[in-house]
Amino acid sequence: MKRQGIFYQVFLKDQAILAIPQSPKTITGYAETIREVLHKHLEQLPFKVIERAFIKALLLGQRQDISSNVYEAYKKAGAVHILAISGLHIGILLLILQFILKPLLYFRHGKFVSLVIILCVLWSFAIIAGLSPSVVRAVTMFSLFAIVKVLKRSSNTINTLAVSAFILLLARPGFCFDVGFQLSYAAVASIIIIKPILDSWWHFKNRIFNWFLDLLKVSIAAQIGVLPLSLYYFHQFPGLFFVTNMVVVPFLIIILCLGIATLILVVIHKPQEFLVNSLGRLIQFMNRFVEWIASKETFLFEQISFDLTALVISYLILFWVGIFYHKKTFKNLMILGVCILSFQVFVQQLPALTSKNSFVVFHKTRHSVFGFQFNQRLEIHHDLDALNNQRMLEDYKIGAAIKTQSTDSIQRLYKIDDKLLLVVDSLGIYNIKSVNPQWVLLRQSPKINLNRLIDSLQPEFIIWDGSNYKTYQERWKKTCTTKNIRFHQTSEKGAFLVRY
Amino acid sequence: MVWLFLSVKTIQYPILKLTIFLVIGILASDYVFISEWTLLGGIGVLIFVLIQIYFYCKKNKKTVYWPSFLVLLLMVLLGVFVCKIHAPSFSKSHYSHLKNITNKDLHQLEFVIKKRLKPTTYNHRYYVELLKIDSTLVSGTLLINLSKDSTTANFKVNSKILTSAQPFRKLNHLSIPINLITKPI
């Protein structure tokens, strides 16, 4: 959010909120009014809730009504790109428009007129969809493609892509850090570069077969380009992405056509019942198919650890594979080899070789969770009812590339590197003669006098986690500050982590 | 790596090169502490030198390749510059320049709703464009969390709203999940 230029937030509650009536004068205001009108008309049609949510997301760019279950299913099936209005939608729209406007080409100036119409339609679509960054990006990109196609100036698509990126970045440098921007450019670039390579390998004579094969090739090419980024950001790889795309993309094309037709008809006149019904059916069917794919969890690879080094090196590898494919010289092969070797060294071998032991006190309200990491093994000591679905643990495991995990109950005394850590729980026992701990951890709100504990044990460091009462934590904080003892309160500073 | 990249003969995509170096500039902008005006001066000087070289070469019918490095340097500088001037704090009227917004008084806010975000369990959320704090004219975008029980009204995009609010809370403290803050000692 800092990248979007938003630094502060405000919480409003039960306060006098006064809406000043104001006629919408800006473009976004008009777009909102148009959306409202369309929305009102849509409400009157006999759609189910989920179908209406889909139509709003796919045609008006309003994704708020799509439930997180559906979203999760699309993510697992590798089809999440169709839920946001992005390059795919605009691309399809452009193809539809070019198909409809084909007859114009036989007239004089037909090319120019069709270009103007295409640009107008694309941009008005972008405005109606709320001019969100992803839509503006996609429309800019495809407008450039359309213009270049008409002008027949340098048919070099990579350059067109670069120009659009250049313009967008000059206007909004923040896009550079936007996941959507990175994903869509990676996808388009790899489709442009990899698709011809795949084309030269295999194709069918039959046109219909070839069309589906093209779809398959495009989705494979896009997936190759996007893979490192999606591993880096989402840590998962949908293994059945090509099956999903082969089915969902044709559906999307039909749904977009029917949807736009319905929207136009709904404003002019009452649309045919047949049209509405078939649109609803199609959305239902697409949903059911995606859910079915998402339920095949064996093909979904989750919790893949992938860091920035891996991301950079894997793109270098892809880049040099491309170079080597076009120019098979010894030098290029050597560089490619070095890249692959460095991937193996930095990503696969080095993390396993360097010893990484750490001790973590996670923050969990009313519970205590400790983690002991020994290289790629994680031992969790906890007092939770169940360990499933703990986001913090999952995140930690992905970040630290943990392979195996075991659980245990919480002990009284731990040895961390060369320090002794005494755990004081609700029993409040700390006067053990033979032990001289350097660190003390307080959990389950022990009724102890912290002053006396500090005097008798002389610890270097005191930690307390989320299982303690808040009042106790405040009191301990004051004691530690007056006694000048270093402390760590997980509710304020977050998890406590020691590497050794 | 950069040298290798430049030496690849197969890349005959000039604009791609420019774009890549622009991106490098944007990425580097967080670590470059040069004022906007110095950068602008540098860009101006570079453009001037490049034009001079161009006319010199045209006059003497020579072809030289080394100025391409200047062009790429120009792109990097341009990237940094663009990033700097787009930072919201560059604008003098940005609300973060006001000192008193984080204290505990109630502030009167006037803003326009820009975008409705996905609501959370307890809050409706909006991105808004601030117009006024108390009586000072300001600019800048703000995240508004509107408690769901307080009002049922669903604000439209672009409606103007007048309200009073508690202190502003810094976002980066809240947006980082508590279990990811780690403190090695």
Side-chain angles (χ1 to χ4, degrees), chain A residues 31-92:
Chain A
E32 176 73 11
T33 335
I34 295 173
R35 263 206 305 273
E36 286 287 315
V37 171
L38 288 175
H39 192 177
K40 242 176 229 160
H41 282 294
L42 271 180
E43 291 289 333
Q44 290 161 5
L45 296 179
F47 282 125
K48 288 189 186 119
V49 181
I50 190 160
E51 294 167 2
R52 196 172 293 129
F54 259 82
I55 294 173
K56 272 166 75 182
L58 295 181
L59 294 169
L60 305 178
Q62 303 292 301
R63 261 193 305 170
Q64 294 93 336
D65 294 337
I66 289 187
S67 69
S68 52
N69 289 346
V70 176
Y71 197 79
E72 208 49 43
Y74 272 76
K75 208 165 151 187
K76 278 182 180 168
V80 77
H81 50 278
I82 76 149
L83 287 186
I85 295 187
S86 60
L88 182 65
H89 286 69
I90 307 295
I92 291 173

Side-chain angles (χ1 to χ4, degrees), chain B residues 55-106:
Chain B
F55 281 115
Y56 173 80
C57 290
K58 209 178 173 190
K59 209 171 163 192
N60 300 327
K61 295 199 170 117
K62 262 190 194 169
T63 321
V64 284
Y65 292 103
W66 61 266
S68 66
F69 288 96
L70 290 186
V71 176
L72 298 181
L73 181 66
L74 176 69
M75 282 303 124
V76 175
L77 286 185
L78 194 64
V80 178
F81 176 70
V82 163
C83 228
K84 294 254 175 204
I85 59 165
H86 273 93
S89 43
F90 179 70
S91 153
K92 281 213 174 71
S93 64
H94 192 260
Y95 64 85
S96 61
H97 292 302
L98 290 177
K99 293 274 181 326
N100 62 346
I101 51 169
T102 45
N103 65 18
K104 286 198 173 155
D105 311 334
L106 280 179

Side-chain angles (χ1 to χ4, degrees), chain A residues 275-480:
Chain A
L275 199 65
V276 175
N277 279 342
S278 52
L279 187 59
R281 285 275 168 76
L282 278 174
I283 292 174
Q284 289 278 351
F285 187 82
M286 187 171 82
N287 252 332
R288 227 172 288 153
F289 178 78
V290 168
E291 267 159 28
W292 179 70
I293 292 274
S295 66
K296 303 270 170 282
E297 299 214 334
T298 3
F299 292 101
L300 177 71
F301 305 100
E302 277 181 309
Q303 298 189 5
I304 305 165
S305 175
F306 206 79
D307 57 358
L308 192 63
T309 337
L311 178 73
V312 172
I313 298 179
S314 48
Y315 271 113
L316 285 179
I317 292 176
L318 277 182
F319 181 75
W320 286 104
V321 166
I323 299 286
F324 180 70
Y325 183 82
H326 284 293
K327 203 173 181 190
K328 294 185 179 61
T329 62
F330 180 67
K331 195 186 109 193
N332 286 345
L333 184 63
M334 282 293 285
I335 298 166
L336 179 59
V338 169
C339 284
I340 293 173
L341 211 70
S342 60
F343 187 83
Q344 289 172 333
V345 170
F346 286 113
V347 180
Q348 295 180 320
Q349 297 302 323
L350 220 55
L353 284 178
T354 49
S355 94
K356 269 199 297 188
N357 295 348
S358 56
F359 165 64
V360 195
V361 181
F362 292 102
H363 174 77
K364 182 87 196 157
T365 319
R366 294 201 300 278
H367 292 285
S368 303
V369 185
F370 309 149
F372 297 86
Q373 185 196 345
F374 307 104
N375 292 329
Q376 292 183 319
R377 187 165 63 85
L378 181 68
E379 218 172 274
I380 301 165
H381 294 195
H382 68 102
D383 60 357
L384 294 165
D385 302 330
L387 211 52
N388 305 332
N389 289 327
Q390 293 292 341
R391 260 303 274 287
M392 53 182 188
L393 288 177
E394 299 302 320
D395 289 346
Y396 183 82
K397 271 152 65 184
I398 293 170
I402 299 293
K403 292 221 169 95
T404 54
Q405 146 188 359
S406 59
T407 54
D408 206 343
S409 56
I410 291 169
Q411 321 274 307
R412 282 290 158 88
L413 197 65
Y414 290 111
K415 191 159 169 39
I416 292 150
D417 204 10
D418 55 345
K419 311 269 189 188
L420 274 179
L421 173 78
L422 178 72
V423 178
V424 180
D425 59 9
S426 54
L427 295 173
I429 304 165
Y430 59 85
N431 261 330
I432 308 162
K433 288 275 150 50
S434 53
V435 195
N436 203 1
Q438 286 90 351
W439 292 350
V440 174
L441 195 150
L442 307 171
R443 61 176 283 261
Q444 300 293 2
S445 317
K447 289 196 179 91
I448 49 159
N449 186 333
L450 196 62
N451 271 319
R452 213 174 288 160
L453 183 144
I454 292 169
D455 287 340
S456 62
L457 292 180
Q458 298 290 343
E460 291 171 9
F461 205 82
I462 301 178
I463 311 154
W464 53 87
D465 67 0
S467 62
N468 299 292
Y469 295 139
K470 271 197 176 149
T471 46
Y472 281 44
Q473 297 189 23
E474 286 304 309
R475 205 170 63 221
W476 292 337
K477 199 168 148 188
K478 271 184 202 150
T479 316
C480 281

Side-chain angles (χ1 to χ4, degrees), chain A residues 154-163 166 189 192-194 196 319 322-323 326, chain B residues 5-6 8-21 71-72:
Chain A
S154 90
S155 56
N156 192 332
T157 31
I158 284 280
N159 264 342
T160 318
L161 191 69
V163 171
F166 194 85
I192 294 170
I193 298 165
I194 299 173
F319 181 75
I323 299 286
H326 284 293
Chain B
F5 177 74
L6 287 172
V8 177
K9 293 267 166 38
T10 43
I11 306 178
Q12 300 299 339
Y13 307 117
I15 303 164
L16 182 65
K17 268 187 196 173
L18 298 186
T19 311
I20 286 173
F21 278 83
V71 176
L72 298 181

Side-chain angles (χ1 to χ4, degrees), chain A residues 190-209:
Chain A
S190 66
I191 288 171
I192 294 170
I193 298 165
I194 299 173
K195 172 104 190 327
I197 301 177
L198 294 177
D199 273 342
S200 64
W201 285 355
W202 86 111
H203 59 268
F204 287 126
K205 284 256 162 62
N206 188 316
R207 269 180 71 182
I208 297 169
F209 277 144

